[in-house]
Amino acid sequence: MSDFLIETENLTFSYGSQPILHGISLRVKPGAVYGFIGQNGAGKTTTIKVLLSLLPDFGGQVCLFGNSIRRRRLGILARTGALVEEPALYQHLTGQENLLNRALLLRLPRQRTQDILRQVGLYEARHKKVVAYSQGMRQRLGIGLALLGAPDLLILDEPTNGLDPNGIREIRELLTGLSRQGVTVFLSSHLLSEVEKIVTDLGIIHQGSLLFQGPIESLRDSAREELCLDTNDNRRCFDLLQADYPQVGWKNGLPSLGGVSREEAARLNARLVGQGLAVYALEWARKDLEQLYFDIIQTPPPTP
């Protein structure tokens, strides 16, 4: 029996003659909040559709709950809730009526809809028509529909896409609460700062290949400290450093260097002062997820 709730081995997929996924091997533990991150077009949605058996013509192996999706598809999907892209909602019905309609199809008791409305924070708006819901409310209702069957696994594709900061916070709090209840969450996103706040594990996909996978803490621990410099002319400071330190970059608008010792930092300070710059600050900081992500995919982040 596998120790992983989601496990793929050498997963490949092509649209016609165009390869999309190249040997993806996912390992998602029960109870994890697994963030699947990558740029638009990296292969996130395609991977999710394969996991949900929406794209059956894949290569390799896909197992959920220790069973092959090819052999135990119905049993696996019965334990899985999903929201892929925009939620399919009846705009002319209320939030409660949308849930009741799905509950009837699943032969679930009506009380289940009341429980879900409370869980996703829509109980007070249950009689309001969906057409009057905000985007964040619609996303929460979509997640509520995915939760009706009390799934052990929740798969979400860009759940905070298009939301304002308040809507993003609402979804974050909802997913954190579900995790505490033992639901395994697999979510794709390109919002790195948001993913960093809620996930326990991370997979980074780039151009159809999985470049990193593991606990987010192990990624943070691997990040070397960076030296950030603040001077009276940061652009000139950057140019001066670039000649001898090709790894120089920008962090929060300041020139930054990785892999520099304390002794080297002291020499840099003296050198910059000797070049006529006023050095206001030398600060050490670890890389955030966005910088680590760009390091892994080997694409430089935009400069200010």
Side-chain angles (χ1 to χ4, degrees):
M1 191 72 174
S2 173
D3 293 331
F4 301 102
L5 193 143
I6 297 176
E7 186 172 13
T8 71
E9 193 67 44
N10 196 31
L11 172 62
T12 60
F13 186 83
S14 299
Y15 284 110
S17 60
Q18 179 63 41
I20 304 297
L21 302 179
H22 310 282
I24 302 293
S25 294
L26 294 173
R27 304 287 186 269
V28 181
K29 297 174 292 186
V33 179
Y34 187 103
F36 194 48
I37 65 174
Q39 297 169 322
N40 291 334
K44 301 188 302 297
T45 299
T46 298
T47 302
I48 283 176
K49 288 182 176 180
V50 170
L51 294 178
L52 294 171
S53 197
L54 298 174
L55 297 173
D57 298 326
F58 60 86
Q61 300 296 320
V62 175
C63 292
L64 284 79
F65 306 105
N67 296 300
S68 168
I69 192 70
R70 287 190 170 105
R71 293 194 296 269
R72 300 292 177 86
R73 174 178 176 272
L74 293 181
I76 288 170
L77 295 181
R79 299 178 63 185
T80 304
L83 176 59
V84 182
E85 298 170 342
E86 289 289 323
L89 304 173
Y90 296 104
Q91 303 292 316
H92 63 290
L93 298 181
T94 66
Q96 180 170 282
E97 288 168 341
N98 269 270
L99 287 168
L100 278 171
N101 181 66
R102 180 71 61 85
L104 289 171
L105 291 174
L106 297 175
R107 299 181 180 180
L108 297 172
R110 295 172 65 93
Q111 181 57 40
R112 179 64 180 157
T113 65
Q114 304 300 303
D115 297 339
I116 290 294
L117 285 165
R118 291 186 176 90
Q119 187 173 14
V120 299
L122 291 175
Y123 188 77
E124 298 301 322
R126 64 192 183 280
H127 297 310
K128 183 184 291 187
K129 290 188 176 182
V130 168
V131 70
Y133 275 16
S134 68
Q135 185 65 22
M137 293 168 72
R138 295 182 190 190
Q139 286 293 94
R140 281 187 283 147
L141 182 58
I143 294 174
L145 289 167
L147 291 172
L148 263 177
D152 298 307
L153 169 65
L154 183 63
I155 298 178
L156 305 173
D157 185 24
E158 301 282 1
T160 58
N161 199 25
L163 299 186
D164 60 21
N166 187 61
I168 290 174
R169 184 181 62 182
E170 290 173 349
I171 298 299
R172 181 175 69 240
E173 292 173 349
L174 173 59
L175 296 182
T176 301
L178 289 170
S179 175
R180 293 195 193 102
Q181 296 168 26
V183 178
T184 301
V185 179
F186 182 97
L187 66 97
S188 77
S189 183
H190 63 274
L191 300 177
L192 306 183
S193 60
E194 188 59 33
V195 166
E196 189 172 17
K197 295 175 183 176
I198 61 173
V199 303
T200 59
D201 296 85
L202 199 65
I204 296 177
I205 186 172
H206 183 62
Q207 296 179 354
S209 296
L210 192 65
L211 302 187
F212 173 85
Q213 181 171 228
I216 191 169
E217 287 304 322
S218 69
L219 185 61
R220 289 191 180 119
D221 290 344
S222 70
R224 293 184 299 176
E225 285 186 312
E226 287 184 295
L227 176 67
C228 295
L229 303 97
D230 190 14
T231 72
N232 62 330
D233 189 341
N234 287 330
R235 171 55 67 178
R236 182 165 173 249
C237 173
F238 181 92
D239 292 340
L240 287 171
L241 293 173
Q242 198 170 34
D244 296 323
Y245 299 94
Q247 77 271 32
V248 66
W250 293 93
K251 182 180 177 67
N252 299 326
L254 300 177
S256 66
L257 287 167
V260 176
S261 67
R262 268 38 178 185
E263 294 76 13
E264 182 68 10
R267 289 193 292 270
L268 278 174
N269 180 61
R271 175 184 168 190
L272 293 173
V273 171
Q275 293 287 333
L277 289 174
V279 179
Y280 300 143
L282 296 171
E283 296 181 348
W284 296 93
R286 282 189 178 273
K287 295 182 181 181
D288 59 20
L289 180 57
E290 179 176 328
Q291 292 171 307
L292 293 169
Y293 168 79
F294 281 114
D295 285 348
I296 289 170
I297 69 170
Q298 297 181 336
T299 300
T303 57

